[in-house]
Amino acid sequence: SYDRRATVAGVVGVGRLITGMDRGLLGMCVNERRHLIVPPHLGYGSIGVAGLIPPDATLYFDVVMLDIWNKDDKLQITTLSKPEHCNRTVENSDFVRYHYNGTLLDGTPFDSSYSKDSTYDTYVGTGWLIKGMDQGLLGMCAGEKRSIIIPPFLAYGEKGYGTVIPPQASLVFSVLLVDFHNPKDGVFLEHLEVPESCKRRAVTGDFVRYHYNGTLMDGTLFDSSYSRNQTYNTYIGKGYIIPGMDQGLQGVCMGERRRVVVPPHLAYGENGAGDKIPGSAVLIFDVHIIDFHNPADPVEIETVYRPEGCNVTTRDRDFIRYHYNCSLLDGTKLFSSHDYEKPQEVTLGANKVIEGLNSGLLNMCAGERRVLIIPPHLGHGESGARGVPGSAVLRFEVELISMEEGVPEGYLFIWHGEPPASLYEQMDLNKDGEIPADEFSTFIKTQVAEGKGRLMPSSDPEKVIADMFRNQDRNQDGKITSEELKLKSDEDQEKIHEEL
């Protein structure tokens, strides 16, 4: 047979071979070698074969068994390894991606996907594969390894395939199923960890900040936000991300951990992406939702404690002292007034704190405690601030310590009634026709002490009075003359006349 460069194929024990060969092959294993001595009566007898085997000849055969199969054989499937978790197995009409080594039954290799550095990708049960492989892939889990032995009548039969697969050859495939999906598949969700308290779930139009690990079904990592030490921030349901993630992030809670399995037709399709995501790859995203908001969200205010008999509350322009703790919604601590010796001080409406905090501090009583949830458009916006990530939702725990009634915007001092008719004369305490800083300061402090007026509240009233004096000392010569002294209400009225 070596001279003919072709193996011998035949059925044993049905009279198609000489009796000695029929008996001599029985019990042989694949790759077994035997030396057979066949006497004439079990060979070609007293007749022989004309011109080739003389009569009464004893025959010697050196035999190597390459393949064995029986018409009643079925697939031989051996599971080599299998993942612990397997939510779904291959069914007919699924699209599979797998690696394989293909050998003949004697171990001769004929093909390998590994040598091509790419998986074999095809549909199962639709006639695109040999029958044995169509059957042998059914029931597999992603990540499972199998050995599949296919008899020739379920493979390439009597014709074989090219020069690599002989006729009537049994085939052995070592298969690793990388991933699979069905064209009808939607996104598969697995809720890994859902917070007990979930007041709101994300919907289309919300802006979500989340961390993720992105892997293929065989566990190969293709991307991770953790490696960049930065969340992925995007709107959901508006086409900014792959359709599978647009769908997979719907309904998440803040703090939730969720696994999103995305079939390729809802991800990067047949072409894949870059050199890390193959064509037709199923993607798995393990996401951790840090926070989300909607651009239309107001400040969320929760009153934790409100004193009884609360009659006076904070208003715009009031001067307040308060304590606060500021954190992200995942619990990351950012800032705290308790790290300093004194409470925080601010004049409400003076643009000294973020808009959301300013509005959250309005209408509070002294001693009241609140929790404020501030969306980024009322906080530090897309850019964030030092120590605050961009587009972050902030959580403030605030406690109002004290408040002082404010003055209208632009004023440093207001009268409780009408100002004195001869204001300059009364302010000129020594009656020398000019008002230096000390006389001005003494007069204003007296008005405040007698309850006739009040200063803009501040931790430093001396500075407020100094600013008032500077505003009135228009030529900056250190004293105020009668021509320089003007009430702010009169100044405002003059400006109106000038505009008219």
Side-chain angles (χ1 to χ4, degrees), residues 208-328:
V208 183
R209 296 194 318 123
Y210 61 96
H211 271 302
Y212 70 91
N213 284 320
T215 63
L216 305 179
M217 284 190 80
D218 64 356
T220 301
L221 183 72
F222 64 80
D223 194 16
S224 174
S225 64
Y226 295 99
S227 65
R228 295 186 290 275
N229 197 30
Q230 186 175 350
T231 55
Y232 191 81
N233 309 330
T234 188
Y235 289 95
I236 63 169
K238 304 184 77 171
Y240 293 135
I241 49 181
I242 58 174
M245 285 300 283
D246 254 348
Q247 297 175 25
L249 292 172
Q250 296 284 337
V252 293
C253 299
M254 293 184 188
E256 180 176 346
R257 295 181 185 272
R258 176 181 286 192
R259 178 167 293 160
V260 184
V261 182
V262 183
H265 52 275
L266 296 176
Y268 295 100
E270 296 180 3
N271 297 324
D275 57 356
K276 291 189 175 181
I277 299 178
S280 300
V282 178
L283 306 182
I284 300 176
F285 292 90
D286 285 325
V287 299
H288 178 205
I289 307 301
I290 303 302
D291 63 36
F292 61 86
H293 73 281
N294 193 281
D297 283 348
V299 175
E300 181 182 329
I301 300 175
E302 178 188 354
T303 299
V304 177
Y305 170 75
R306 188 177 178 92
E308 295 182 4
C310 176
N311 298 318
V312 180
T313 60
T314 53
R315 297 180 297 176
D316 197 42
R317 307 304 301 175
D318 282 354
F319 181 77
I320 66 169
R321 294 176 177 85
Y322 66 99
H323 271 303
Y324 72 90
N325 291 313
C326 175
S327 63
L328 301 179

Side-chain angles (χ1 to χ4, degrees), residues 351 400 450:
N351 298 319
L400 185 64
E450 294 176 354

Side-chain angles (χ1 to χ4, degrees), residues 348-381:
L348 295 174
N351 298 319
K352 298 299 183 182
V353 294
I354 56 175
E355 183 179 349
L357 180 56
N358 191 91
S359 62
L361 290 168
L362 292 173
N363 302 313
M364 286 188 76
C365 302
E368 183 175 342
R369 297 194 300 273
R370 288 179 175 179
V371 173
L372 312 176
I373 306 298
I374 301 177
H377 53 276
L378 299 176
H380 293 286

Side-chain angles (χ1 to χ4, degrees), residues 53-71:
I53 300 174
D56 297 317
T58 298
L59 307 179
Y60 296 79
F61 289 91
D62 288 313
V63 180
V64 179
M65 183 64 66
L66 301 179
D67 197 343
I68 311 168
W69 60 275
N70 189 285
K71 61 183 178 61

Side-chain angles (χ1 to χ4, degrees), residues 406-482:
V407 298
E409 185 175 1
Y411 284 75
L412 297 175
F413 175 89
I414 60 171
W415 298 95
H416 289 160
E418 290 295 323
S422 53
L423 178 59
Y424 187 83
E425 287 75 10
Q426 291 193 32
M427 195 175 290
D428 182 11
L429 300 180
N430 63 4
K431 310 303 180 186
D432 63 352
E434 57 186 29
I435 303 171
D438 58 341
E439 278 189 349
F440 182 85
S441 177
T442 300
F443 176 79
I444 294 297
K445 289 178 180 177
T446 300
Q447 305 308 302
V448 171
E450 294 176 354
K452 296 178 179 178
R454 71 174 184 272
L455 289 167
M456 179 186 78
S458 168
S459 56
D460 188 0
E462 296 290 347
K463 182 179 182 303
V464 177
I465 295 174
D467 289 341
M468 291 175 63
F469 180 81
R470 193 177 304 107
N471 291 342
Q472 296 295 327
D473 182 14
R474 302 176 192 279
N475 61 6
Q476 303 300 304
D477 63 353
K479 57 182 181 296
I480 301 172
T481 64
S482 59

Side-chain angles (χ1 to χ4, degrees), residues 88 94 180-187 263 265-266:
R88 180 183 155 192
D94 283 346
F180 68 96
H181 73 281
N182 194 283
K184 297 179 182 178
D185 283 349
V187 172
H265 52 275
L266 296 176

